[in-house]
Amino acid sequence: HNFKAHKAAGKIAAYEFVSRPKKNFFQNIGALFGGEDDVYENVNVNVEKMNGHAVAYTETQTGQLEFDPKTVETIGPVVYEDDKEEFASQMNSAHPLIAPNGDFINFALAFGKDNYYKIYRVKNTGGPNKREMIAKVLANPIAYHHAFSVSEDYIVLVEAPYYFSLGKMMMNNVKNLFFTTTSSIGDIFEWDKSAPTKFLVVRQSNGEIVGRFHTDQFMSYHHANCVQDGDLLHIDLMCYDRNEFYDSMLLENMRAEDNLDFGAGALRRYTINLKEAKPGTSEGLTMSVLYDGHMEFCRINEKYRGNKDYRFIYSVCEPRDKAAWSTISKLDVQTKEVKFFEKPNCAIGEPVFVPNPNATSEDDGVVVAVLLNGDTQKSELVGLDGKTFQQVFLAEIPHHIPMGLHGNHFD
């Protein structure tokens, strides 16, 4: 739907993950009083299996579509047979996770007089899709989230000081009313320069809020893994010193020179000593750097999610001396050793690890990614040996595939 609208108009004509269409005064008046008929529902952010169903996601609560994983034909909106009012929200994470016990876990953001994170599970029963509320956490102010983490016993949300602002939302509506401007999700969130980043830890079994643990402020979009080792809870994630990622992804900025400057970043490990940490403080929380540089779209062997002995993170990497998004990396979190794969003049998408069905080690499998070849203007599918990180196949595609965000491998 969106692609056809953009192609017919020759410009952004419907809401996308970051960009929204420019509208004239009368169109904005209609949207203000008559509602929007093109609210962003392009489910191109991620795909995951839920209760046996293949689902494509975006970040709106209604942006969840079931599809046939063999034909990729759309089946229709996901149907939940539960209390719709209990789970009502405006935003939904597009990064649901399968917990080590097999539960599908996700959370939503509900705005109102009081704001809440609604963390829920769906059991893999093969029956109707029924959400079970794990925790309803008060969040005033409420922070923007793109992803989160799960370990064997805990769910971890990272509250960067990037807060929903009613005032900015109202001003944005006024701006859009009188000016044909392009705006993004960043126009309704505000960065609080004086606030810390907080790790919100929730116990999976009973929804107990273990605490909010503070650290120096940073912004994060993607998590790698979260593991427990005794009283220690390790959270591995990509971190930025500022919050300009989405503004950089506006179409007009991506077409500009030096458009991919997301600021300084590093893949970090934060460790919370659950026995010694005190909620509301930074006591008992430490940080170490796993890789000093950009390692985005960080993925793991999903069979090792929550496994304290896991070692490897696969990412789209931006080494200091390379072009942005030109390299795939394999990081050993125990030794800090990094292996790289690069194909000249190619833009590389998210790497997905496909395990060998008879695997004898964590990295026994194939890492696959979609490349956009700048020379041929066509896409390719590359496969790398998970252990050696050497190319094992390259499939040329007779057309280009638009650069995407996330994907998954389904058995």
Side-chain angles (χ1 to χ4, degrees):
H1 169 76
N2 285 26
F3 175 73
K4 291 179 180 178
H6 302 326
K7 190 172 182 180
K11 60 181 180 181
I12 294 291
Y15 280 75
E16 287 295 352
F17 183 56
V18 176
S19 299
R20 60 177 289 168
K22 294 181 180 180
K23 295 185 176 183
N24 61 38
F25 177 83
F26 298 103
Q27 289 172 323
N28 282 318
I29 284 285
L32 189 62
F33 292 101
E36 303 261 13
D37 61 0
D38 58 355
V39 174
Y40 170 58
E41 300 291 1
N42 190 358
V43 291
N44 66 342
V45 180
N46 200 9
V47 294
E48 186 53 273
K49 278 284 188 74
M50 180 188 70
N51 193 23
H53 304 277
V55 182
Y57 292 89
T58 184
E59 290 192 327
T60 60
Q61 178 62 20
T62 55
Q64 304 176 37
L65 287 180
E66 183 180 354
F67 66 95
D68 186 318
K70 294 183 179 179
T71 66
V72 202
E73 291 291 330
T74 299
I75 295 174
V78 172
V79 177
Y80 293 104
E81 297 187 19
D82 51 35
D83 188 338
K84 304 296 190 296
E85 186 173 339
E86 180 184 12
F87 294 95
S89 63
Q90 285 73 42
M91 294 184 70
N92 198 82
S93 171
H95 276 279
L97 293 172
I98 306 300
N101 65 1
D103 286 354
F104 171 99
I105 295 180
N106 205 0
F107 73 99
L109 277 60
F111 304 125
K113 181 179 179 182
D114 284 315
N115 307 305
Y116 293 93
Y117 305 128
K118 296 183 177 181
I119 307 171
Y120 62 90
R121 67 167 60 89
V122 177
K123 292 285 189 180
N124 187 22
T125 64
N129 299 319
K130 291 186 178 181
R131 291 167 290 189
E132 299 175 9
M133 190 72 76
I134 297 174
K136 182 179 178 181
V137 184
L138 185 65
N140 291 329
I142 191 166
Y144 172 78
H145 298 260
H146 184 67
F148 67 110
S149 281
V150 297
S151 68
E152 186 176 354
D153 297 315
Y154 301 102
I155 298 165
V156 181
L157 274 62
V158 177
E159 295 181 289
Y162 194 38
Y163 298 127
F164 172 74
S165 169
L166 180 60
K168 287 192 71 174
M169 185 185 73
M170 294 175 66
M171 288 301 297
N172 190 51
N173 285 340
V174 171
K175 181 182 71 173
N176 289 331
L177 183 62
F178 292 101
F179 303 97
T180 56
T181 58
T182 299
S183 58
S184 76
I185 193 171
D187 292 316
I188 62 171
F189 286 86
E190 186 167 19
W191 186 261
D192 185 345
K193 296 181 179 180
S194 63
T197 290
K198 306 168 188 176
F199 288 86
L200 170 62
V201 181
V202 176
R203 193 179 300 276
Q204 282 190 53
S205 60
N206 58 11
E208 173 197 356
I209 300 173
V210 179
R212 282 181 164 99
F213 304 98
H214 295 195
T215 189
D216 293 339
Q217 62 178 213
F218 67 86
M219 187 68 190
S220 181
Y221 301 95
H222 297 115
H223 298 212
N225 205 357
C226 179
V227 300
Q228 299 164 223
D229 187 2
D231 293 324
L232 303 180
L233 182 64
H234 303 297
I235 306 103
D236 298 344
L237 69 170
M238 179 63 208
C239 305
Y240 295 91
D241 294 336
R242 64 189 199 216
N243 64 310
E244 299 174 1
F245 190 91
Y246 286 150
D247 286 342
S248 296
M249 290 179 66
L250 281 167
L251 183 60
E252 59 201 54
N253 292 337
M254 292 186 75
R255 285 173 169 167
E257 192 172 341
D258 299 326
N259 61 79
L260 288 176
D261 180 14
F262 302 142
L267 188 65
R268 300 173 183 166
R269 166 167 288 188
Y270 285 87
T271 299
I272 304 172
N273 187 320
L274 295 174
K275 189 175 182 179
E276 300 178 358
K278 293 183 178 180
T281 75
S282 60
E283 188 173 338
L285 191 155
T286 59
M287 184 273 288
S288 60
V289 175
L290 297 175
Y291 179 79
D292 185 16
H294 292 180
M295 281 191 171
E296 262 301 349
F297 296 167
C298 29
R299 299 297 301 269
I300 63 171
N301 179 340
E302 287 296 326
K303 295 182 183 296
Y304 283 74
R305 182 160 299 282
N307 186 323
K308 70 181 181 67
D309 296 319
Y310 104 101
R311 293 182 59 179
F312 303 112
I313 298 174
Y314 307 93
S315 308
V316 176
C317 186
E318 184 185 345
R320 300 297 186 191
D321 59 343
K322 302 291 184 182
W325 312 115
S326 64
T327 306
I328 304 174
S329 62
K330 174 189 177 182
L331 169 69
D332 186 328
V333 299
Q334 294 183 11
T335 67
K336 308 288 182 68
E337 177 189 4
V338 186
K339 293 181 179 180
F340 299 104
F341 170 84
E342 180 187 18
K343 193 160 188 278
N345 202 24
C346 283
I348 300 181
E350 179 187 51
V352 176
F353 184 84
V354 182
N356 183 336
N358 302 309
T360 58
S361 64
E362 179 185 347
D363 57 354
D364 187 356
V366 178
V367 178
V368 295
V370 176
L371 315 178
L372 181 58
N373 190 313
D375 295 325
T376 66
Q377 296 295 297
K378 296 177 182 179
S379 295
E380 301 165 348
L381 183 69
V382 67
L384 308 178
D385 184 294
K387 293 183 178 182
T388 66
F389 228 50
Q390 297 299 307
Q391 180 177 309
V392 292
F393 71 79
L394 182 72
E396 297 181 351
I397 300 168
H399 54 80
H400 85 279
I401 298 174
M403 292 300 291
L405 293 168
H406 307 290
N408 262 317
H409 169 260
F410 297 148
D411 292 332

